[in-house]
Amino acid sequence: MNVFRGKVVFFVLLSIGLSSRAQSSESYRKLLTPQVRSGKLAPPEHLADYVKDGKLSISLDEAVRLALENNSSIRIQETQVESQKFALLGAYQPFDPLLQANANVNRYSTPGSSALQGVGQSGSTALNSLTQLGQIGYSQMFKTGTNINGTVSSTKSSTNSSFNFFNPYFSSTLNFQFTQPLLRNAGVFANTAPLVIARRTLLQSRASFVAQVNDAIFQVVTQYWAVVQARGSLQVEQESLSLAEASYQRDKRALELGALPPLDIYRSQSEVAARRLQAIQGQYTLKQTEDNLRLTIGANQDSSIHALSLELTEKPEPQEVVDSTNMDDALKGALAGRPEIDAANYALANDETSIRLAHNHLLPSLSLAGFYQSTGLGGNQFDLNTGALISQGGFGSSFSQLSGFGFPGYGASLTLNLPIKNRGAEANLGTALVSRSRDLYSARQTREEITLEVNNAVQQLEEAKLTLEAGKIAYDLAQKSLAAEQRKYELGAETNFFVLDAQSKLAQADLDLLQTQVNYQIARAAVDHATGSLLNPYHIQIKEIAP
């Protein structure tokens, strides 16, 4: 009995050991994040940390971090990676071991109809039988395609028939079976290809998510500087309005003193009205750009934060102007660093695996199967002539015979399935080839688009540098021109028309300078975005996925 138990334990340990080779570090508990498990949305993070003097005061770096922590769109995109994690876990399903247990009881009573039933010759007698079955089975498929199945079963049967010399009797069976494909689905590749594809799809999903984060950061940068520009524009327009109102007050006083013709006052009034209109429009433009930034950083998720005014601490003036960017180096960095390239490569690698797997499915199905079993019988043994009990036995005696393997059974078989046509496999192969062709074109298109984006970004940065210097010069000259016209007007050499015109030109030059400063800031970010390095300035790292 102990020998048999040792063999059964060895079989179970061997199966578990082989099974572990088909598993991986992925598990439901490890993959399920607390946020997904909770079923509730977390409140916005760290927004309250930037509330100062009743305002939400943030720098560009802080705006980027708030967006990555709280933006709903980014979180939705992140769930695509989470879904692919569980898709990978599901790809292990064919290798999951299965333990089955079965127990049933059957009792039958039939009227006696034959002396061979061993219940006598009376018509009122009945043949009674009671059968109790217990069975435990273990099945497992391995990466090589090998299927094993082991069962241990025991049946207890009792009857009132006088012809059974074991009553009740116990019949036990130990059975091992295996099936090994030799052509189709044979070997590690054919059975682990879905795992390989699922893992690459997960990595592809992560690469796509990195690309989406790259886009999201650039969106935050653009929106941040849009608010800075709108606020600066409003300030310029309000200052211009103040200058126009001051000129109007001087003209009004001159009109009262008779030093200005009555018709000339309308020029000042119309200029004040036009600049007030620009200031009103600037106020609503600023509100719209601030609302866009609030949405992106998640400020709308907290009603108390949403009501606060925004205070952006970054200044549009560049601290330093970068040297010229080498186009070849930028393009080389983009093709090496853009996550879209990695995603395209993972898709092509999956296509190659699918094509190879489809070729495997075109092979004939040839499999080798075998089994080995041992049986044992035990119970109370009677002498059929005298009815005397010869020996007592039971469940233990039937299992003791199993351990000795005195009643073995074994066999093997080869099965060949040779399809005359295999259109399903051919269709899968054709689909895989078409998918590879499509992904080849997509990869080429991705490289072309990245090349164009890098060219445009580098050229945009060079243009922004030149216009930035020109804007500074234009603003300086506009200031000097206004001062000169103001002096001439005070000396009576020119009318107020030239002063108002110089004020308008100064305001426009100020707006143009602000525009060039913002364009330069955005152009620098555009180069980083195009080369795939926009995460670096903000020290952002996305967690790697273990292979």
Side-chain angles (χ1 to χ4, degrees), residues 154-208:
S154 184
T155 303
K156 176 185 177 183
S157 299
S158 59
T159 180
N160 62 345
S161 174
S162 60
F163 291 149
N164 286 14
F165 55 85
F166 280 99
N167 193 21
Y169 71 88
F170 294 82
S171 175
S172 299
T173 303
L174 176 64
N175 183 278
F176 299 97
Q177 296 178 347
F178 79 91
T179 303
Q180 175 61 56
L182 301 178
L183 290 177
R184 185 192 305 172
N185 295 329
V188 174
F189 167 77
N191 295 281
T192 59
L195 281 173
V196 174
I197 292 174
R199 188 174 296 281
R200 287 205 196 103
T201 303
L202 173 58
L203 294 174
Q204 180 183 2
S205 176
R206 179 191 178 278
S208 298

Side-chain angles (χ1 to χ4, degrees), residues 364-384:
S365 175
L366 177 64
S367 60
L368 172 65
F371 79 94
Y372 184 91
Q373 72 174 30
S374 177
T375 58
L377 184 64
N380 294 331
Q381 186 175 4
F382 295 88
D383 188 329
L384 294 181

Side-chain angles (χ1 to χ4, degrees), residues 283-294:
Q283 289 176 343
Y284 282 93
T285 299
L286 174 61
K287 185 178 184 304
Q288 290 175 351
T289 55
E290 287 182 339
D291 288 343
N292 291 335
L293 183 60
R294 283 193 182 92

Side-chain angles (χ1 to χ4, degrees), residues 282-332:
Q283 289 176 343
Y284 282 93
T285 299
L286 174 61
K287 185 178 184 304
Q288 290 175 351
T289 55
E290 287 182 339
D291 288 343
N292 291 335
L293 183 60
R294 283 193 182 92
L295 174 64
T296 301
I297 64 176
N300 292 347
Q301 300 169 20
D302 190 328
S303 58
S304 61
I305 300 294
H306 172 70
L308 300 179
S309 300
L310 280 179
E311 182 178 278
L312 306 187
T313 60
E314 300 285 348
K315 301 300 180 181
E317 298 86 1
Q319 298 297 323
E320 59 178 353
V321 179
V322 299
D323 296 331
S324 298
T325 303
N326 185 276
M327 183 73 73
D328 293 335
D329 292 341
L331 183 58
K332 183 178 179 181

